[in-house]
Amino acid sequence: IVASRGGDVAPKDPSLPQKEATIGTGETVLEEFVPIIQLKRFDAAELSKRHKAASIDIGEEAKTQLRNYLANVASMYQDNPFHNFEHASHVTASVKKLLTRIVNVDDGNGLSTPSDKIDLVDMAGHSYGITSDPLTQFSVVFSAIIHDMDHPGVPNARLVKENTRNAQIFKKSVAEQNSVELAWSMLMSEEYGALRACIYHTEADLRRFRQLVVNTVMATDIVDKELQALRKARWETAFAKTPIQDASLSTSDDCKATIVIEHLIQASDVSHTMQHWQIYKSWNEKFFMECYAAYKAGRADSDPSENWYKGEIGFFDFYVIPLAKKLDNCGVFGVSSHEYLNYAQSNRDEWAREGEGIVSEYLVKYEDMASQQ
């Protein structure tokens, strides 16, 4: 980010502290969600003048604040078997992998003025403008690491049923909105001023950063039917086989970029299902243990073990594999999309063969651990 603006870390707008104090002060995070995020556009001349990231030193103060911020984020994850800081780190690693494997698919290369000189700087300009803007990339990575902060280990529906304090405040997408609130409030505190100066130095950058974080974290709520229907409709619009004639290049690219970002974080959130069998099995066990512990604690209406085997097959068939196919169909992620799809299909087949016995093993292991406590 700093390299893209010539190494400058000093805020250009002296009124930024006042803007920081007012942004995100609505009733809920969800009301800030927008269907299409407007990304920043760059011209080829600007890209050619960018510094190399390796040549930039953001300073010890900002580095220390970044380490402290991440340490505090980690401390705010609860000790759940699945929704913990290890999961957040795993999701972040997948996001970073997919971002680095983005390939050039758009005619304009994400530039305000199309150019064939796209190799000028750091692969800038690929994927509907996503990789031409380091702030966009940072925002998605940031969202991945904070997306399950303070997760209580039970789904949103349970929080609403229990009428928890957060459920009373947020109504829906409870855990996701709470994560954004906590992470943003901490970032805006006085002790992270140098870190914030590296992330943005204008009001426009601040607002784009906030919007990207809100949309990206909200995309991890895959249960909310209204949000899912909206995403499906936007996918059909963005990647329709017949181009929409009345859409400008900018609007079309922004629509595609928004939906690609959402599917990138969704795939990363369940990336264990699209990786090696042993990785999938390990994380599946963690999630089972979390759900079964909630049931034993009286925080679930039914025994998850009774439908876990069939439920996983349904999850692969109706969510994971279609999602992997979308990653492939959008043409952004190159060979990675093929890799994710192949692993998803392979894991689905392996689970169909071995899953019933594995669930029995989970139950035995849970009871063994419970007896030792």
Side-chain angles (χ1 to χ4, degrees):
I1 295 172
V2 175
S4 72
R5 62 191 191 214
D8 184 16
V9 295
K12 284 186 175 181
D13 186 351
S15 67
L16 262 183
Q18 289 75 30
K19 302 296 194 304
E20 290 173 335
T22 58
I23 193 169
T25 56
E27 289 189 10
T28 65
V29 173
L30 188 57
E31 70 183 23
E32 299 177 49
F33 173 87
V34 295
I36 300 175
I37 303 172
Q38 292 186 341
L39 299 187
K40 187 175 182 178
R41 298 294 161 182
F42 304 88
D43 58 43
E46 182 179 358
L47 291 175
S48 68
K49 295 176 182 178
R50 284 184 175 179
H51 293 206
K52 294 290 184 180
S55 70
I56 300 298
D57 185 355
I58 63 174
E60 288 304 315
E61 184 179 15
K63 293 176 185 176
T64 298
Q65 290 182 11
L66 176 59
R67 294 188 189 100
N68 290 344
Y69 184 81
L70 289 173
N72 284 329
V73 166
S75 72
M76 295 178 74
Y77 272 83
Q78 296 192 31
D79 189 22
N80 301 311
F82 183 88
H83 288 101
N84 51 36
F85 189 66
E86 184 184 2
H87 165 66
S89 301
H90 189 247
V91 173
T92 304
S94 174
V95 164
K96 186 67 171 68
K97 174 182 176 180
L98 287 173
L99 283 172
T100 57
R101 294 194 179 184
I102 281 177
V103 296
N104 185 10
V105 297
D106 52 313
D107 294 336
N109 292 319
L111 305 180
S112 56
T113 303
S115 171
D116 59 0
K117 299 178 180 178
I118 197 57
D119 60 344
L120 288 173
V121 181
D122 294 336
M123 293 179 63
H126 295 185
S127 72
Y128 314 116
I130 293 173
T131 56
S132 62
D133 182 15
L135 179 57
T136 295
Q137 299 171 63
F138 175 85
S139 301
V140 180
V141 173
F142 177 87
S143 299
I145 204 69
I146 63 102
H147 81 283
D148 273 333
M149 278 176 64
D150 195 39
H151 195 289
V154 294
N156 287 326
R158 188 69 200 183
L159 300 177
V160 172
K161 184 173 184 177
E162 294 176 355
N163 197 31
T164 64
R165 178 179 178 276
N166 283 337
Q168 293 175 32
I169 296 172
F170 299 120
K171 312 300 182 187
K172 58 191 298 187
S173 300
V174 178
E176 293 79 11
Q177 293 193 73
N178 182 52
S179 295
V180 173
E181 281 284 307
L182 293 174
W184 190 266
S185 177
M186 184 165 64
L187 182 61
M188 291 299 113
S189 64
E190 185 177 348
E191 62 185 294
Y192 297 115
L195 174 58
R196 295 198 303 274
C198 292
I199 300 171
Y200 54 83
H201 68 162
T202 66
E203 181 182 354
D205 288 345
L206 166 63
R207 294 193 178 281
R208 190 165 78 260
F209 174 50
R210 170 73 180 189
Q211 192 64 68
L212 282 159
V213 171
V214 168
N215 268 53
T216 304
V217 176
M218 289 303 101
T220 63
D221 182 0
I222 64 173
V223 177
D224 187 280
K225 293 181 179 180
E226 184 178 348
L227 288 175
Q228 280 293 78
L230 178 61
R231 293 185 195 111
K232 182 178 179 181
R234 278 184 293 134
W235 175 273
E236 296 297 335
T237 299
F239 295 99
K241 293 182 180 180
T242 302
I244 300 173
Q245 299 301 321
D246 61 349
S248 67
L249 175 63
S250 175
T251 302
S252 176
D253 280 356
D254 284 342
C255 182
K256 290 177 180 178
T258 300
I259 204 70
V260 165
I261 288 169
E262 290 179 346
H263 284 72
L264 184 156
I265 190 68
Q266 287 181 338
S268 296
D269 201 18
V270 295
S271 59
H272 63 283
T273 65
M274 308 179 204
Q275 294 172 343
H276 190 277
W277 166 254
Q278 294 301 328
I279 296 176
Y280 162 68
K281 183 181 174 184
S282 174
W283 282 103
N284 183 258
E285 178 183 316
K286 295 175 190 290
F287 191 38
F288 175 87
M289 295 300 178
E290 182 171 300
C291 295
Y292 197 70
Y295 167 68
K296 286 291 192 178
R299 303 191 71 188
D301 295 330
S302 59
D303 181 348
S305 68
E306 295 178 354
N307 194 50
W308 197 266
Y309 169 70
K310 291 183 179 179
E312 280 296 291
I313 293 177
F315 188 53
F316 273 113
D317 289 346
F318 299 107
Y319 183 74
V320 175
I321 291 175
L323 178 58
K325 288 180 178 179
K326 284 183 177 180
L327 293 182
D328 195 26
N329 292 339
C330 74
V332 170
F333 300 106
V335 296
S336 289
S337 58
H338 304 311
E339 173 188 318
Y340 275 41
L341 178 57
N342 289 338
Y343 271 125
Q345 292 171 330
S346 175
N347 287 337
R348 189 268 185 210
D349 293 342
E350 186 73 11
W351 179 262
R353 290 190 295 269
E354 307 292 339
E356 288 181 297
I358 291 172
V359 174
S360 297
E361 293 173 4
Y362 289 168
L363 286 169
V364 172
K365 186 172 183 179
Y366 180 91
E367 297 301 335
D368 286 345
M369 291 190 299
S371 66
Q372 294 172 14
Q373 293 179 350

